[in-house]
Amino acid sequence: MAMLWKFMRVVKYSKTTLSAKVKVRGIPTHSRHSSSKSVPSDFTASAPSSNTVELLGKSYPQDDYSNVTEKILSKVGKNLHNRKHHPLWLIKEQVKDHFYKHYVGRRGTPLFSVYDGLSPVVTVQQNFDSLLIPPNHASRRKEDNYYLNRGHMLRAHTSAHQWDLIHSGLDAFLAVGDVYRRDTIDNTHYPVFHQMEGVRLFSCHELFSNIKDGEGLQLFERGHRTAHKQECHTMEAVRLVEFNLKQVLTKLMAHIFGDGLQVRWVDCSFPFTHPSFEMEINFQGEWMEVLGCGVMEQQLVNSAGAQDKIGWAFGLGLERLAMILYDIPDIRLFWSEDERFLKQFIGPHIWQKIKFQPLSKYPPLINDISFWLPSETYCENDFYDLVRTIGGDLIEKVVLVDEFTHPKTKKVSHCYRIVYRHPERTLTQGEVHHIHQAIEESAVRELGVEGRF
């Protein structure tokens, strides 16, 4: 979801540019197919040169904000969520099937339309400004996002398309796609993952039509913003939107994971959604945070041209759902081309019960790296990006295991433990030594650290 920056993590653990208007007006909301043509997987993307980045047939001039890497560019256009029989495709199709069957318009056609081919290259305005994220908000940092330049980036969330789709006249839609975020490295985090955005807007009649004596109820008032509602919303409208959202998400999760699911709603204080909730699923004894959702910020809805409506939005991560549903232990596996992995998800229908069978557990190889940090320019995500760029999917995990401040010089030293493991074969120490040495040399050259190798 637009304003929620906790994208699907385990609870106990603590991006062609769109034009100003997406051309979707006139596409019926009952369409059972995606509206936009997917970016082909055999795209041409070049590594950042001295002054431009070539991506999806367009050139983007580089500037002081450009930080996208060749490794990340190589992922653009893969569209795993549109690859038939891939586990992410299965999850997407299951959610689509549920919404098509359970939410139907007056003419018997699906209420929600689906957009799963929108370009991952968006403007900074789309990714942040349209969602009312302030210019100085921490979520805009270079350390957390992949920028082509100051004006364009790889989307950090599918919410980057919310404003455009609402502005095109849509009241109910799902937007699915790959998103890009600089993050830590472990078995549940990857710099590219896939999200599904859901949005539903209600007119006064739609929201109150089934309420006894609801003729006199209104969507808006001139009140005060509180912990329970925005200043422009009536309490009755907010409560009904909340109730509808909870019903939608509870039914969706029960439909995917089974009726024995336990659901817990927790009040949260996200900056632009009031009130908002996280939905947690108790699955196999663990509480899993799987969704961010809430009543949409009315200023966003108004600016997109739907001033007479109120609505909700949610965002969910497809990898997290697939990892739980199919018991997939490592997020890197979604990028595997090994037939032993892919063929496990081929079945006669999307609802076939599947339990992932490990390809076999190859032994890890562990190497540590220590260095003195430069004065004020060091960022951990820069190091993680460097490690990922050089080691690719051979890197299973990177953990900061020691931090030391010299008592006299006050220089700070970090020691990271890098776990190498190939998901499909056994690595040799010789292979790992070559990669590890390249990481050491690049860290000194690119990050300005002083090695303690």
Side-chain angles (χ1 to χ4, degrees):
M1 180 181 168
M3 308 81 180
L4 311 179
W5 290 89
K6 302 178 182 178
F7 291 140
M8 308 279 299
R9 57 179 172 78
V10 180
V11 167
K12 63 180 182 181
Y13 242 16
S14 9
K15 325 183 62 307
T16 347
T17 305
L18 290 174
S19 59
K21 295 183 180 180
V22 177
K23 295 181 180 179
V24 295
R25 187 183 297 277
I27 297 173
T29 58
H30 60 270
S31 171
R32 291 183 63 94
H33 303 284
S34 304
S35 66
S36 306
K37 181 179 288 187
S38 297
V39 180
S41 59
D42 57 345
F43 76 104
T44 299
S46 65
S49 64
S50 59
N51 51 16
T52 62
V53 175
E54 305 290 332
L55 184 60
L56 303 178
K58 290 195 174 184
S59 297
Y60 299 91
Q62 293 196 89
D63 56 28
D64 60 325
Y65 249 63
S66 305
N67 66 352
V68 66
T69 65
E70 183 178 2
K71 182 68 68 174
I72 294 301
L73 287 175
S74 71
K75 304 294 185 181
V76 178
K78 297 297 185 182
N79 294 324
L80 300 182
H81 61 289
N82 289 336
R83 183 174 178 179
K84 194 170 183 179
H85 299 302
H86 191 279
L88 298 180
W89 175 83
L90 287 173
I91 287 288
K92 181 196 73 172
E93 292 300 311
Q94 289 181 23
V95 177
K96 283 171 55 178
D97 184 66
H98 173 77
F99 273 87
Y100 284 151
K101 289 179 178 177
H102 292 82
Y103 303 97
V104 180
R106 284 178 293 180
R107 297 182 179 180
T109 54
L111 183 66
F112 284 80
S113 52
V114 178
Y115 302 88
D116 60 6
L118 299 172
S119 173
V121 180
V122 298
T123 63
V124 172
Q125 192 278 335
Q126 287 173 300
N127 200 81
F128 295 120
D129 299 330
S130 71
L131 302 170
L132 311 179
I133 297 173
N136 60 347
H137 197 272
S139 61
R140 294 178 179 249
R141 298 186 310 169
K142 287 176 60 177
E143 291 87 347
D144 296 325
N145 300 284
Y146 287 104
Y147 286 91
L148 299 176
N149 51 42
R150 280 187 173 269
H152 296 85
M153 63 188 298
L154 297 177
R155 63 188 170 207
H157 43 211
T158 46
S159 305
H161 306 296
Q162 265 190 17
W163 191 95
D164 293 305
L165 293 172
I166 294 173
H167 190 60
S168 74
L170 298 177
D171 287 343
F173 58 84
L174 303 174
V176 194
D178 46 334
V179 298
Y180 299 76
R181 298 210 50 216
R182 305 179 76 195
D183 211 336
T184 55
I185 301 176
D186 56 40
N187 68 327
T188 63
H189 292 85
Y190 201 80
V192 189
F193 55 103
H194 297 74
Q195 281 192 319
M196 176 177 285
E197 190 84 7
V199 170
R200 175 77 194 277
L201 301 181
F202 301 88
S203 66
C204 186
H205 172 74
E206 289 169 328
L207 192 61
F208 298 126
S209 60
N210 294 323
I211 303 300
K212 183 179 180 181
D213 301 324
E215 296 83 1
L217 298 178
Q218 301 294 323
L219 297 179
F220 306 111
E221 68 174 10
R222 293 183 179 180
H224 299 282
R225 184 177 288 257
T226 70
H228 303 288
K229 74 178 193 69
Q230 297 175 42
E231 61 271 28
C232 55
H233 294 157
T234 64
M235 184 60 73
E236 295 84 1
V238 169
R239 291 305 185 200
L240 284 174
V241 172
E242 287 177 29
F243 179 74
N244 183 267
L245 174 60
K246 289 182 180 182
Q247 277 195 320
V248 167
L249 293 178
T250 301
K251 289 178 180 178
L252 173 62
M253 293 297 106
H255 199 62
I256 293 176
F257 293 105
D259 292 333
L261 191 68
Q262 296 184 46
V263 176
R264 175 172 67 179
W265 294 90
V266 183
D267 289 318
C268 302
S269 299
F270 294 106
F272 300 103
T273 307
H274 300 277
S276 62
F277 303 89
E278 292 173 6
M279 181 179 175
E280 299 182 359
I281 292 180
N282 188 331
F283 191 79
Q284 295 183 347
E286 292 186 0
W287 283 100
M288 306 293 288
E289 175 190 303
V290 297
L291 296 167
C293 52
V295 179
M296 293 190 71
E297 176 66 37
Q298 195 61 37
Q299 185 180 341
L300 186 160
V301 177
N302 292 346
S303 69
Q307 297 91 337
D308 58 341
K309 296 179 180 179
I310 183 176
W312 50 249
F314 69 78
L316 60 89
L318 299 187
E319 277 86 349
R320 288 297 181 269
L321 296 181
M323 291 177 79
I324 299 169
L325 183 61
Y326 302 127
D327 201 19
I328 298 173
D330 194 319
I331 197 169
R332 294 177 300 164
L333 284 167
F334 291 105
W335 296 90
S336 174
E337 294 294 337
D338 193 324
E339 286 300 316
R340 293 174 298 169
F341 172 76
L342 297 173
K343 69 182 182 182
Q344 295 188 38
F345 301 94
I346 298 176
H349 55 80
I350 61 174
W351 295 104
Q352 180 180 356
K353 290 187 177 181
I354 299 171
K355 181 177 175 61
F356 171 67
Q357 300 300 317
L359 307 181
S360 74
K361 196 67 172 177
Y362 298 100
L365 291 174
I366 300 173
N367 287 258
D368 291 351
I369 179 172
S370 299
F371 46 75
W372 296 105
L373 306 188
S375 55
E376 296 178 354
T377 60
Y378 180 78
C379 167
E380 277 196 21
N381 277 349
D382 287 340
F383 177 67
Y384 295 145
D385 235 20
L386 182 148
V387 172
R388 180 83 76 182
T389 296
I390 296 173
D393 287 351
L394 299 183
I395 309 297
E396 179 176 84
K397 183 185 297 186
V398 179
V399 182
L400 177 63
V401 294
D402 183 63
E403 184 172 359
F404 168 72
T405 302
H406 194 282
K408 293 183 178 180
T409 66
K410 303 303 178 182
K411 293 175 64 175
V412 178
S413 171
H414 278 187
C415 177
Y416 294 90
R417 180 153 294 159
I418 304 179
V419 180
Y420 299 83
R421 193 200 307 258
H422 198 295
E424 298 162 7
R425 66 175 177 84
T426 300
L427 286 173
T428 67
Q429 186 59 55
E431 290 176 287
V432 169
H433 175 75
H434 179 73
I435 297 170
H436 198 75
Q437 187 176 27
I439 291 173
E440 291 175 341
E441 294 171 355
S442 294
V444 173
R445 184 175 62 252
E446 304 295 337
L447 303 181
V449 303
E450 181 184 341
R452 301 180 67 189
F453 314 139

